[in-house]
mmCIF file with all atom_site columns, all heavy atoms in Angstrom:
data_model
loop_
_atom_site.group_PDB
_atom_site.id
_atom_site.type_symbol
_atom_site.label_atom_id
_atom_site.label_alt_id
_atom_site.label_comp_id
_atom_site.label_asym_id
_atom_site.label_entity_id
_atom_site.label_seq_id
_atom_site.pdbx_PDB_ins_code
_atom_site.Cartn_x
_atom_site.Cartn_y
_atom_site.Cartn_z
_atom_site.occupancy
_atom_site.B_iso_or_equiv
_atom_site.pdbx_formal_charge
_atom_site.auth_seq_id
_atom_site.auth_comp_id
_atom_site.auth_asym_id
_atom_site.auth_atom_id
_atom_site.pdbx_PDB_model_num
ATOM 1  N N   . ASN W 1 165 ? -3.294 -4.890  -4.114  1.00 0.00 ? 360 ASN W N   1
ATOM 2  C CA  . ASN W 1 165 ? -3.345 -4.477  -5.514  1.00 0.00 ? 360 ASN W CA  1
ATOM 3  C C   . ASN W 1 165 ? -3.536 -5.713  -6.377  1.00 0.00 ? 360 ASN W C   1
ATOM 4  O O   . ASN W 1 165 ? -2.678 -6.596  -6.395  1.00 0.00 ? 360 ASN W O   1
ATOM 5  C CB  . ASN W 1 165 ? -2.051 -3.746  -5.910  1.00 0.00 ? 360 ASN W CB  1
ATOM 6  C CG  . ASN W 1 165 ? -2.218 -3.005  -7.225  1.00 0.00 ? 360 ASN W CG  1
ATOM 7  O OD1 . ASN W 1 165 ? -3.014 -3.396  -8.089  1.00 0.00 ? 360 ASN W OD1 1
ATOM 8  N ND2 . ASN W 1 165 ? -1.461 -1.929  -7.384  1.00 0.00 ? 360 ASN W ND2 1
ATOM 9  N N   . LEU W 1 166 ? -4.667 -5.765  -7.063  1.00 0.00 ? 361 LEU W N   1
ATOM 10 C CA  . LEU W 1 166 ? -5.003 -6.951  -7.860  1.00 0.00 ? 361 LEU W CA  1
ATOM 11 C C   . LEU W 1 166 ? -4.202 -7.002  -9.171  1.00 0.00 ? 361 LEU W C   1
ATOM 12 O O   . LEU W 1 166 ? -4.272 -7.978  -9.903  1.00 0.00 ? 361 LEU W O   1
ATOM 13 C CB  . LEU W 1 166 ? -6.508 -6.920  -8.162  1.00 0.00 ? 361 LEU W CB  1
ATOM 14 C CG  . LEU W 1 166 ? -7.207 -8.213  -8.529  1.00 0.00 ? 361 LEU W CG  1
ATOM 15 C CD1 . LEU W 1 166 ? -7.223 -9.186  -7.364  1.00 0.00 ? 361 LEU W CD1 1
ATOM 16 C CD2 . LEU W 1 166 ? -8.642 -7.946  -8.982  1.00 0.00 ? 361 LEU W CD2 1
ATOM 17 N N   . ALA W 1 167 ? -3.444 -5.950  -9.453  1.00 0.00 ? 362 ALA W N   1
ATOM 18 C CA  . ALA W 1 167 ? -2.749 -5.877  -10.739 1.00 0.00 ? 362 ALA W CA  1
ATOM 19 C C   . ALA W 1 167 ? -1.518 -6.772  -10.792 1.00 0.00 ? 362 ALA W C   1
ATOM 20 O O   . ALA W 1 167 ? -1.010 -7.060  -11.868 1.00 0.00 ? 362 ALA W O   1
ATOM 21 C CB  . ALA W 1 167 ? -2.343 -4.428  -11.032 1.00 0.00 ? 362 ALA W CB  1
ATOM 22 N N   . PHE W 1 168 ? -1.019 -7.195  -9.633  1.00 0.00 ? 363 PHE W N   1
ATOM 23 C CA  . PHE W 1 168 ? 0.210  -7.999  -9.606  1.00 0.00 ? 363 PHE W CA  1
ATOM 24 C C   . PHE W 1 168 ? -0.141 -9.439  -9.274  1.00 0.00 ? 363 PHE W C   1
ATOM 25 O O   . PHE W 1 168 ? -0.663 -9.725  -8.198  1.00 0.00 ? 363 PHE W O   1
ATOM 26 C CB  . PHE W 1 168 ? 1.200  -7.400  -8.601  1.00 0.00 ? 363 PHE W CB  1
ATOM 27 C CG  . PHE W 1 168 ? 1.530  -5.958  -8.903  1.00 0.00 ? 363 PHE W CG  1
ATOM 28 C CD1 . PHE W 1 168 ? 1.052  -4.938  -8.097  1.00 0.00 ? 363 PHE W CD1 1
ATOM 29 C CD2 . PHE W 1 168 ? 2.272  -5.625  -10.033 1.00 0.00 ? 363 PHE W CD2 1
ATOM 30 C CE1 . PHE W 1 168 ? 1.335  -3.605  -8.395  1.00 0.00 ? 363 PHE W CE1 1
ATOM 31 C CE2 . PHE W 1 168 ? 2.563  -4.301  -10.332 1.00 0.00 ? 363 PHE W CE2 1
ATOM 32 C CZ  . PHE W 1 168 ? 2.086  -3.279  -9.516  1.00 0.00 ? 363 PHE W CZ  1
ATOM 33 N N   . HIS W 1 169 ? 0.132  -10.368 -10.224 1.00 0.00 ? 364 HIS W N   1
ATOM 34 C CA  . HIS W 1 169 ? -0.451 -11.706 -10.147 1.00 0.00 ? 364 HIS W CA  1
ATOM 35 C C   . HIS W 1 169 ? 0.502  -12.796 -9.691  1.00 0.00 ? 364 HIS W C   1
ATOM 36 O O   . HIS W 1 169 ? 0.073  -13.898 -9.390  1.00 0.00 ? 364 HIS W O   1
ATOM 37 C CB  . HIS W 1 169 ? -1.035 -12.087 -11.509 1.00 0.00 ? 364 HIS W CB  1
ATOM 38 C CG  . HIS W 1 169 ? -2.073 -11.122 -11.986 1.00 0.00 ? 364 HIS W CG  1
ATOM 39 N ND1 . HIS W 1 169 ? -2.540 -11.076 -13.266 1.00 0.00 ? 364 HIS W ND1 1
ATOM 40 C CD2 . HIS W 1 169 ? -2.713 -10.127 -11.327 1.00 0.00 ? 364 HIS W CD2 1
ATOM 41 C CE1 . HIS W 1 169 ? -3.444 -10.110 -13.395 1.00 0.00 ? 364 HIS W CE1 1
ATOM 42 N NE2 . HIS W 1 169 ? -3.549 -9.511  -12.238 1.00 0.00 ? 364 HIS W NE2 1
ATOM 43 N N   . GLY W 1 170 ? 1.803  -12.524 -9.688  1.00 0.00 ? 365 GLY W N   1
ATOM 44 C CA  . GLY W 1 170 ? 2.766  -13.557 -9.282  1.00 0.00 ? 365 GLY W CA  1
ATOM 45 C C   . GLY W 1 170 ? 2.681  -14.786 -10.163 1.00 0.00 ? 365 GLY W C   1
ATOM 46 O O   . GLY W 1 170 ? 2.423  -15.884 -9.685  1.00 0.00 ? 365 GLY W O   1
ATOM 47 N N   . ARG W 1 171 ? 2.944  -14.602 -11.452 1.00 0.00 ? 366 ARG W N   1
ATOM 48 C CA  . ARG W 1 171 ? 2.797  -15.723 -12.391 1.00 0.00 ? 366 ARG W CA  1
ATOM 49 C C   . ARG W 1 171 ? 4.047  -16.578 -12.461 1.00 0.00 ? 366 ARG W C   1
ATOM 50 O O   . ARG W 1 171 ? 5.166  -16.081 -12.343 1.00 0.00 ? 366 ARG W O   1
ATOM 51 C CB  . ARG W 1 171 ? 2.496  -15.175 -13.790 1.00 0.00 ? 366 ARG W CB  1
ATOM 52 C CG  . ARG W 1 171 ? 1.060  -14.734 -13.977 1.00 0.00 ? 366 ARG W CG  1
ATOM 53 C CD  . ARG W 1 171 ? 0.914  -13.967 -15.269 1.00 0.00 ? 366 ARG W CD  1
ATOM 54 N NE  . ARG W 1 171 ? 1.113  -14.821 -16.444 1.00 0.00 ? 366 ARG W NE  1
ATOM 55 C CZ  . ARG W 1 171 ? 0.129  -15.499 -17.028 1.00 0.00 ? 366 ARG W CZ  1
ATOM 56 N NH1 . ARG W 1 171 ? -1.102 -15.431 -16.552 1.00 0.00 ? 366 ARG W NH1 1
ATOM 57 N NH2 . ARG W 1 171 ? 0.361  -16.250 -18.087 1.00 0.00 ? 366 ARG W NH2 1
ATOM 58 N N   . ALA W 1 172 ? 3.843  -17.854 -12.673 1.00 0.00 ? 367 ALA W N   1
ATOM 59 C CA  . ALA W 1 172 ? 4.950  -18.785 -12.902 1.00 0.00 ? 367 ALA W CA  1
ATOM 60 C C   . ALA W 1 172 ? 4.455  -19.833 -13.898 1.00 0.00 ? 367 ALA W C   1
ATOM 61 O O   . ALA W 1 172 ? 3.262  -20.130 -13.942 1.00 0.00 ? 367 ALA W O   1
ATOM 62 C CB  . ALA W 1 172 ? 5.352  -19.462 -11.595 1.00 0.00 ? 367 ALA W CB  1
ATOM 63 N N   . PRO W 1 173 ? 5.381  -20.389 -14.703 1.00 0.00 ? 368 PRO W N   1
ATOM 64 C CA  . PRO W 1 173 ? 4.936  -21.375 -15.698 1.00 0.00 ? 368 PRO W CA  1
ATOM 65 C C   . PRO W 1 173 ? 4.332  -22.624 -15.048 1.00 0.00 ? 368 PRO W C   1
ATOM 66 O O   . PRO W 1 173 ? 4.755  -23.029 -13.961 1.00 0.00 ? 368 PRO W O   1
ATOM 67 C CB  . PRO W 1 173 ? 6.214  -21.727 -16.471 1.00 0.00 ? 368 PRO W CB  1
ATOM 68 C CG  . PRO W 1 173 ? 7.329  -21.009 -15.831 1.00 0.00 ? 368 PRO W CG  1
ATOM 69 C CD  . PRO W 1 173 ? 6.802  -20.091 -14.783 1.00 0.00 ? 368 PRO W CD  1
ATOM 70 N N   . ALA W 1 174 ? 3.383  -23.214 -15.756 1.00 0.00 ? 369 ALA W N   1
ATOM 71 C CA  . ALA W 1 174 ? 2.711  -24.417 -15.253 1.00 0.00 ? 369 ALA W CA  1
ATOM 72 C C   . ALA W 1 174 ? 3.708  -25.522 -14.936 1.00 0.00 ? 369 ALA W C   1
ATOM 73 O O   . ALA W 1 174 ? 3.505  -26.315 -14.002 1.00 0.00 ? 369 ALA W O   1
ATOM 74 C CB  . ALA W 1 174 ? 1.699  -24.899 -16.291 1.00 0.00 ? 369 ALA W CB  1
ATOM 75 N N   . SER W 1 175 ? 4.792  -25.556 -15.691 1.00 0.00 ? 370 SER W N   1
ATOM 76 C CA  . SER W 1 175 ? 5.790  -26.629 -15.515 1.00 0.00 ? 370 SER W CA  1
ATOM 77 C C   . SER W 1 175 ? 6.436  -26.590 -14.131 1.00 0.00 ? 370 SER W C   1
ATOM 78 O O   . SER W 1 175 ? 7.133  -27.520 -13.747 1.00 0.00 ? 370 SER W O   1
ATOM 79 C CB  . SER W 1 175 ? 6.874  -26.505 -16.593 1.00 0.00 ? 370 SER W CB  1
ATOM 80 O OG  . SER W 1 175 ? 7.464  -25.212 -16.517 1.00 0.00 ? 370 SER W OG  1
ATOM 81 N N   . MET W 1 176 ? 6.217  -25.509 -13.380 1.00 0.00 ? 371 MET W N   1
ATOM 82 C CA  . MET W 1 176 ? 6.857  -25.403 -12.064 1.00 0.00 ? 371 MET W CA  1
ATOM 83 C C   . MET W 1 176 ? 6.039  -26.007 -10.929 1.00 0.00 ? 371 MET W C   1
ATOM 84 O O   . MET W 1 176 ? 6.465  -25.963 -9.764  1.00 0.00 ? 371 MET W O   1
ATOM 85 C CB  . MET W 1 176 ? 7.162  -23.940 -11.742 1.00 0.00 ? 371 MET W CB  1
ATOM 86 C CG  . MET W 1 176 ? 8.307  -23.396 -12.570 1.00 0.00 ? 371 MET W CG  1
ATOM 87 S SD  . MET W 1 176 ? 8.819  -21.782 -11.974 1.00 0.00 ? 371 MET W SD  1
ATOM 88 C CE  . MET W 1 176 ? 9.679  -22.236 -10.485 1.00 0.00 ? 371 MET W CE  1
#
Side-chain angles (χ1 to χ4, degrees):
N360 195 332
L361 201 66
F363 303 108
H364 302 166
R366 282 169 68 89
S370 57
M371 288 190 74

